[in-house]
Amino acid sequence: MPINIESVDPTRAALVVIDMENDFVAPGAPFEVKAARQLLPKLKQVIGFCRDVGISVIYTTHVHRRDGSDAGRFADIYPPIADGVGLVDGTPGIEIYDEIAPRPDEVVIKKHRYSAFFATDLDVILRGRGIDTVIVAGVTTEDCCHATARDAMFNDYRVAFLSDCTGTYDYPDMGYGELPADEVHRSSLIILAFSTAHVMTADELMARVAV
């Protein structure tokens, strides 16, 4: 049966904003996700709401060292990573997009793989704060957001996945035909709703928060 989150205790929930960094969000960026800019107004509203009610706001930024020593297979898949022109640690590209910039007291997790849990201290931070519910937003739906949601569920967190605060890009033909961003997004939401998370809109989340 589908996962259902009827209510959210703000003291035990965290909004994890996935990879809303310049190299994904800014026009013309190496990994530009146009949908990221489209979801900004709603995401900005959710971030403000979470701050107001006491839900922890945690950001992730996908980064790699300049020498590529932590790129792994990503260097085979993504030319901007192999060429050192995108997601390079210490560059403006890995900074969170200014419109939703973190506050000084908010955590920013540097991650090197799709999942925000892989080889980071995210789980330690969440458990240290007594978190039992992880709210996922950001980019991309099927990769970093999906992987983070899966790992959160694997670690026994309740997962709320925000359908209108996540987005992705078009997929080229890799031998099975092209796949437009809207279809990638919709298909990912269907899979997540069946197997991993309570997929809901931002408004539905805010209505479930016990304040």
Side-chain angles (χ1 to χ4, degrees):
M1 60 186 298
I3 293 173
N4 182 46
I5 298 175
E6 294 184 358
S7 64
V8 176
D9 179 348
T11 67
R12 304 200 67 195
L15 172 67
V16 182
V17 181
I18 304 292
D19 296 357
M20 291 294 287
E21 60 201 274
N22 292 321
D23 275 349
F24 284 106
V25 184
F31 290 90
E32 181 183 4
V33 180
K34 294 179 180 178
R37 295 193 297 277
Q38 297 169 1
L39 63 83
L40 274 172
K42 182 57 72 172
L43 177 56
K44 189 174 181 179
Q45 179 187 1
V46 171
I47 291 171
F49 173 83
C50 289
R51 288 169 173 164
D52 288 343
V53 301
I55 292 175
S56 295
V57 179
I58 297 173
Y59 293 79
T60 76
T61 179
H62 191 125
V63 309
H64 293 290
R65 291 179 171 83
R66 289 183 181 275
D67 65 2
S69 59
D70 59 358
R73 298 279 70 84
F74 282 160
D76 300 332
I77 300 169
Y78 300 109
I81 293 177
D83 298 339
V85 298
L87 309 186
V88 179
D89 200 4
T91 67
I94 64 102
E95 299 298 324
I96 304 300
Y97 198 65
D98 188 62
E99 190 172 332
I100 53 166
R103 291 180 174 177
D105 62 339
E106 290 173 337
V107 172
V108 179
I109 300 284
K110 288 185 177 182
K111 67 184 185 66
H112 313 291
R113 297 294 185 267
Y114 295 136
S115 173
F117 286 89
F118 184 87
T120 74
D121 58 357
L122 177 58
D123 186 54
V124 172
I125 292 169
L126 294 175
R127 296 191 187 283
R129 295 184 178 187
I131 301 299
D132 66 9
T133 301
V134 171
I135 305 158
V136 176
V139 294
T140 58
T141 313
E142 76 293 350
D143 279 334
C144 295
C145 294
H146 191 141
T148 298
R150 277 280 172 89
D151 275 355
M153 187 270 281
F154 292 164
N155 282 287
D156 297 328
Y157 295 100
R158 301 191 308 168
V159 182
F161 198 96
L162 301 188
S163 59
D164 54 352
C165 289
T166 47
T168 190
Y169 43 70
D170 299 329
Y171 271 61
D173 186 356
M174 302 298 290
Y176 302 94
E178 298 178 353
L179 202 58
D182 288 348
E183 189 172 343
V184 177
H185 183 66
R186 185 181 67 86
S187 298
S188 299
L189 295 179
I190 292 169
I191 294 166
L192 285 161
F194 180 83
S195 66
T196 304
H198 186 163
V199 176
M200 62 180 73
T201 65
D203 288 342
E204 288 171 336
L205 168 74
M206 292 185 286
R208 284 170 167 78
V209 175
V211 294

